[in-house]
Amino acid sequence: MSLEITFLGTGAAFPSPSRGASALALRREGQCWLFDCGEGTQTQLMRSHLRAARITKIFITHLHGDHIFGLPGLLCTLSLQSNDASKAPVDIYGPLGLRSFLWRSLELSHSQLLFPITVHELVPTRDQCPPEEFKDFSSLDRGEELSQGPPGRVLHLDAGEDSYLLVEDEQLVVRAFRLFHRVPSFGFVLQEKPRPGKLNVQKLKDLGVQPGPSYGKLKSGASIVLENGATLFPGDVLDAPIPGRKICVLGDCSGPLGEAAERLCRDADVLVHEATLADGQRDKARQRGHSTPATAAELAKRCRAARLVLTHFSQRYRPAGQPGHGDTAVTELRRQAEAVMGGREVTLAEDFMTIEIPVKK
C-alpha cells in the first residue's frame, strides 16, 4: 500500500521563482490529500507528477494568505476540468472562518463549482495566538446570504483528548491539534491503524485447521470453533499487530499548545515542521510566531520522530546548489537541526520532492 508526500511549495510569505508558497500533497491508495494551498499551488500541481483531479480532501493549517490564497483558484480550475456530475464532495478542513472565505470568494467572483464541496471548520481556542490578534469568526455564517453556502460540520476541541477528530474509518484516523502562531494554527496527524500480525500456519495445521475460510476469519479478528468443540481465538495463532504508518504535518507556529502534539506525534515516521528562520534569529522567529531548526528538532526529538522534514523557509535562504547574492544557503538550517536530533534523519524540503513511507513489516 503506497503512501507518499510531495512538497509543492516550501517557501514562506510569498511564492518566488525558486520556492512556491506553502502546499503539500499526500497520496494514498490512489487518493490525493492536499495540506495548505498557497498562491500558485495549482500551477505547481501541473508541473508535478500529481493529478489535481484526484484530490478528495484538503486540510488548511491556518488562515494566513500564503496558505489559503490558492484555494479558490484551484477549486475553480478543478470545476472547469470536471465532467462528473456525480463526483463525491471534496472535504475541506480548516479553522473557523474558512467557509466564509471560500463562499465570499466564489460569490464575489461569480464562480460556480460544478462539483460539491464540504467545509468542516475547527473552532480555535483564544490562547492559540496573542490576545490582540484573535478574531472571533463564529458569527460570520449566521447571515441568511450564507444559507446557500457549502455545508459542513463545526468541530470543537475535545477537551479530554485535547484534539479534534476529523476522519476515521477502518484503516486510519486523522486528528488535528493546536499550535501557537500569530493567528490560530493547527497541526494534522494521519495515523494508520495496526494491521493483524502474521498467522502461525504451522500451529494451525497442528491443530487440524486447514487453509480456507477459517484463516480469513482469524486474520480479521474473529474466533473459530474447532472440531473438538474448543474455541480458537485470533491471539492464539497471530503474531503481534503490525503498527501503521504515521505522518504529522504542522502549520506555522512557535510551538504546540497543550499536550496533544507530543502524544499524537509520538513515534511518527515523518514529522513536517516549519523552520522559517535560522537559530541565530530565534527571538525574531518567536516574536513572529515562527520556528527555527532547533525549535523543530526539539519537538521531533521529544516525539521520537524517525524523520524530521523542515519546510516553510524564508525566501532569504537560497535552495541548495543554487547561486545567490550573499544569502545563506538553506543547508545551514539542516546542520542546526541535526545538532539537536542526535543522529535521527533531517531532510530539507524542496519543491517537487517526494518522500515515500514504506509499509512496516
Side-chain angles (χ1 to χ4, degrees), residues 163-220:
S163 64
Y164 305 74
L165 177 61
L166 308 185
V167 179
E168 184 169 18
D169 58 27
E170 293 181 353
Q171 295 184 335
L172 58 81
V173 59
V174 181
R175 288 187 175 271
F177 55 89
R178 299 174 298 152
L179 303 171
F180 188 87
H181 186 47
R182 285 169 45 225
V183 300
S185 183
F186 295 91
F188 300 102
V189 176
L190 181 147
Q191 168 76 70
E192 290 181 330
K193 294 183 177 180
R195 307 193 317 277
K198 186 178 179 181
L199 277 173
N200 188 327
V201 176
Q202 186 58 52
K203 185 174 183 179
L204 285 166
K205 290 180 177 179
D206 292 344
L207 292 169
V209 183
Q210 298 303 315
S214 295
Y215 281 28
K217 289 181 180 180
L218 290 165
K219 191 79 172 177
S220 66

Side-chain angles (χ1 to χ4, degrees), residues 271-341:
L271 188 147
V272 180
H273 199 297
E274 67 125 304
T276 306
L277 296 171
D279 287 343
Q281 295 182 301
R282 190 163 188 164
D283 290 342
K284 182 178 181 180
R286 186 177 297 276
Q287 182 183 7
R288 296 182 177 182
H290 287 295
S291 295
T292 68
T295 305
E298 287 160 3
L299 175 62
K301 187 176 181 179
R302 293 196 303 270
C303 295
R304 304 198 301 261
R307 185 176 193 176
L308 170 65
V309 183
L310 301 178
T311 187
H312 197 266
F313 306 116
S314 168
Q315 301 290 358
R316 74 180 65 187
Y317 302 112
R318 66 178 185 273
Q322 292 193 14
H325 300 283
D327 291 341
T328 303
V330 73
T331 49
E332 175 61 25
L333 304 185
R334 180 173 56 208
R335 287 193 288 269
Q336 293 172 1
E338 288 174 338
V340 177
M341 285 291 281

Side-chain angles (χ1 to χ4, degrees), residues 73-232:
L74 173 63
L75 293 175
C76 289
T77 298
L78 291 178
S79 180
L80 289 172
Q81 297 173 346
S82 176
N83 55 9
D84 184 4
S86 62
K87 180 179 178 179
V90 173
D91 287 301
I92 305 174
Y93 302 83
L96 192 67
L98 180 59
R99 181 174 183 267
S100 179
F101 167 75
L102 283 175
W103 182 86
R104 294 180 191 280
S105 298
L106 297 172
E107 183 74 8
L108 290 171
S109 61
H110 291 249
S111 302
Q112 292 185 338
L113 300 183
L114 301 180
F115 63 92
I117 62 172
T118 305
V119 182
H120 309 287
E121 296 182 301
L122 285 64
V123 179
T125 57
R126 289 181 174 269
D127 52 354
Q128 283 183 250
C129 67
E132 65 274 13
E133 298 278 2
F134 184 85
K135 296 184 185 297
D136 185 0
F137 294 137
S138 59
S139 63
L140 288 179
D141 293 349
R142 292 178 183 172
E144 293 183 3
E145 72 275 9
L146 283 178
S147 61
Q148 301 301 315
R153 296 175 292 156
V154 176
L155 304 170
H156 293 269
L157 178 71
D158 182 331
E161 294 289 334
D162 192 23
S163 64
Y164 305 74
L165 177 61
L166 308 185
V167 179
E168 184 169 18
D169 58 27
E170 293 181 353
Q171 295 184 335
L172 58 81
V173 59
V174 181
R175 288 187 175 271
F177 55 89
R178 299 174 298 152
L179 303 171
F180 188 87
H181 186 47
R182 285 169 45 225
V183 300
S185 183
F186 295 91
F188 300 102
V189 176
L190 181 147
Q191 168 76 70
E192 290 181 330
K193 294 183 177 180
R195 307 193 317 277
K198 186 178 179 181
L199 277 173
N200 188 327
V201 176
Q202 186 58 52
K203 185 174 183 179
L204 285 166
K205 290 180 177 179
D206 292 344
L207 292 169
V209 183
Q210 298 303 315
S214 295
Y215 281 28
K217 289 181 180 180
L218 290 165
K219 191 79 172 177
S220 66
S223 59
I224 63 172
V225 178
L226 302 178
E227 290 183 357
N228 61 8
T231 300
L232 183 64

